[in-house]
Amino acid sequence: MAGERELFAPVGPIGPMDQIQLSNASFEGDNNVYLLDDGPETVLIDSGDWMAETREQLAASLDKQGVSFGDIDRIFLTHWHGDHVGQAHHIQEVSGAEVYIHEADALLLEGDEAAWEEMGERQRDLFDHWDMPEPKQQVLEKIFESVPYQDNPVDITPIQDGDTFTVNGRTLRAVHAPGHAAGLCLFETTIDGHNDAFTGDALLPQYTPNVGGADVRIERPLEQYLETLQHIATAEYDRAWPGHRDVIENPTARAEYIMHHHEERSWRVLDALSRLGPSTTWEVSAELFGSLKSIHILHGPGESYAHLTHLEREGLVVCDGDQYQLAAGVEQELEGRNEEYWPLR
Ligand SMILES: [Zn+2]
Ligand SMILES: [Zn+2]
């Protein structure tokens, strides 16, 4: 894969900030690391994935800005996923950088055994409830084992919603934005007079971030994510700097689009249940997403489950054991579906 494309292409400088795009063969692709070094401090937002190639790319991109790992004072991590936190351990080892992440994600990054054990148990329980076939569970087990969180513990300074930091004279404010991950934080700041936010995976330009599978610890992930989108839409940021791919010039419109997308997806779940009758989460997922490979084996049913449980709380779906079906009377409402009837409002 490497060699077919530009390996490291720093997009910045964008005013006082540099966007460094790293190739990423896993997850959503094209990871961003942001460098704030327009003053005495050298600060990163996120750190790329674990791969040795990524470390080389990041080091080479920083070198072009005259920065080495040893210069980095602080790293703000948007959430615990491996494609964002991968180099934090290494950079901290070299520089002693202070590393921040929301308190909900802190124990995972510190390599806390009990926190990982709890995550594993929750996954196994859900895979049973979803009726995920055994061979598919084995594929996921292999993926989980391949991600070396516990071999790369990070000494974390936990943060909370509303915490503010001064970075080279500007204010960086953490905004808790859960849904995709329990501890996901946006970092709001001003860049060249723009009211901007670093959004991690809470707002992406191309994909709608996974809810339900990407962090199984979250109760009501869809509801929480919709609240996050509502926050982004009402904050009216000038620009969003996402964890993957290019800047989002109209974050409000993008957040509204993703809310709409989830409304449509809920309709598709209801429609699937209407055609299939009582179904497991795995069957609904197959109807929505077809046959799944790799990490999508987790994300497909996770997303379906997030919608099914949301619809269940809305009284549109009932659950019996591992089977979901339409609540009484919903079939008729589906026939009369129109713009005034949105299950998520
Ligand atoms: Zn993520
Ligand atoms: Zn990501």
Side-chain angles (χ1 to χ4, degrees):
M1 207 166 291
E4 290 171 25
R5 56 191 295 275
E6 184 78 34
L7 267 185
F8 37 87
V11 174
I14 300 141
M17 188 267 290
D18 289 287
Q19 181 188 27
I20 297 168
Q21 285 196 325
L22 303 165
S23 65
N24 172 358
S26 57
F27 302 112
E28 297 104 309
D30 292 347
N31 263 86
N32 291 320
V33 171
Y34 297 96
L35 167 67
L36 298 163
D37 69 337
D38 56 328
E41 271 199 291
T42 304
V43 171
L44 297 185
I45 316 271
D46 279 342
S47 70
D49 68 23
W50 312 94
M51 318 268 282
E53 297 93 300
T54 303
R55 187 174 313 157
E56 284 167 28
Q57 285 182 29
L58 180 58
S61 296
L62 289 171
D63 186 56
K64 287 187 184 175
Q65 316 300 324
V67 172
S68 72
F69 284 167
D71 298 329
I72 293 165
D73 300 300
R74 297 198 271 176
I75 307 174
F76 292 87
L77 297 172
T78 56
H79 64 301
W80 63 273
H81 286 156
D83 50 333
H84 298 259
V85 305
Q87 300 301 331
H89 166 86
H90 180 78
I91 295 171
Q92 188 175 58
E93 218 170 43
V94 175
S95 69
E98 187 150 22
V99 180
Y100 304 89
I101 198 164
H102 187 271
E103 58 187 4
D105 288 359
L107 287 177
L108 294 175
L109 267 260
E110 284 169 345
D112 183 87
E113 243 170 73
W116 282 104
E117 186 50 43
E118 210 174 297
M119 170 90 83
E121 266 172 42
R122 174 77 178 147
Q123 279 168 335
R124 286 187 290 276
D125 288 351
L126 279 178
F127 297 169
D128 278 351
H129 175 64
W130 296 348
D131 202 28
M132 183 188 287
E134 194 57 37
K136 297 288 186 184
Q137 295 195 31
Q138 283 163 11
V139 172
L140 288 182
E141 277 303 324
K142 283 217 174 67
I143 293 174
F144 298 151
E145 282 164 18
S146 74
V147 192
Y149 284 104
Q150 281 166 292
D151 298 334
N152 292 271
V154 183
D155 185 10
I156 291 292
T157 304
I159 59 171
Q160 296 179 340
D161 180 54
D163 283 355
T164 57
F165 306 86
T166 304
V167 176
N168 294 331
R170 75 160 66 72
T171 301
L172 200 69
R173 181 167 173 270
V175 177
H176 190 206
H180 171 73
L184 205 153
C185 278
L186 318 176
F187 294 103
E188 297 178 345
T189 196
T190 306
I191 296 173
D192 275 352
H194 294 282
N195 168 31
D196 287 359
F198 298 97
T199 53
D201 287 352
L203 196 73
L204 297 171
Q206 192 160 334
Y207 295 101
T208 57
N210 180 260
V211 288
D215 192 337
V216 295
R217 302 172 302 158
I218 307 174
E219 292 291 329
R220 307 184 173 203
L222 182 58
E223 207 169 303
Q224 294 206 24
Y225 184 51
L226 291 171
E227 280 173 23
T228 286
L229 291 171
Q230 194 64 50
H231 164 81
I232 293 172
T234 49
E236 295 190 350
Y237 298 120
D238 294 328
R239 297 175 299 189
W241 299 97
H244 302 265
R245 301 179 189 274
D246 299 326
V247 63
I248 299 165
E249 297 283 359
N250 190 341
T252 299
R254 181 66 187 152
E256 283 169 353
Y257 172 85
I258 298 175
M259 284 191 260
H260 183 74
H261 160 89
H262 278 295
E263 290 173 350
E264 277 301 318
R265 180 153 284 167
S266 263
W267 279 109
R268 287 183 60 207
V269 169
L270 293 174
D271 180 56
L273 288 179
S274 149
R275 281 180 289 108
L276 297 171
S279 310
T280 63
T281 302
W282 186 257
E283 288 165 332
V284 171
S285 170
E287 189 70 11
L288 258 59
F289 305 112
S291 156
L292 298 168
K293 288 196 177 114
S294 184
I295 195 67
H296 299 289
I297 296 167
L298 173 65
H299 290 172
E303 186 97 15
S304 306
Y305 178 68
H307 278 269
L308 285 166
T309 50
H310 190 80
L311 291 164
E312 187 188 1
R313 280 191 297 275
E314 297 283 314
L316 298 163
V317 162
V318 288
C319 177
D320 181 11
D322 296 338
Q323 304 258 324
Y324 293 85
Q325 61 183 311
L326 294 181
V330 173
E331 190 86 46
Q332 289 85 325
E333 292 201 57
L334 275 178
E335 283 162 20
R337 178 189 163 176
N338 61 51
E339 288 289 315
E340 283 127 60
Y341 179 70
W342 292 108
L344 293 177
R345 286 217 176 119

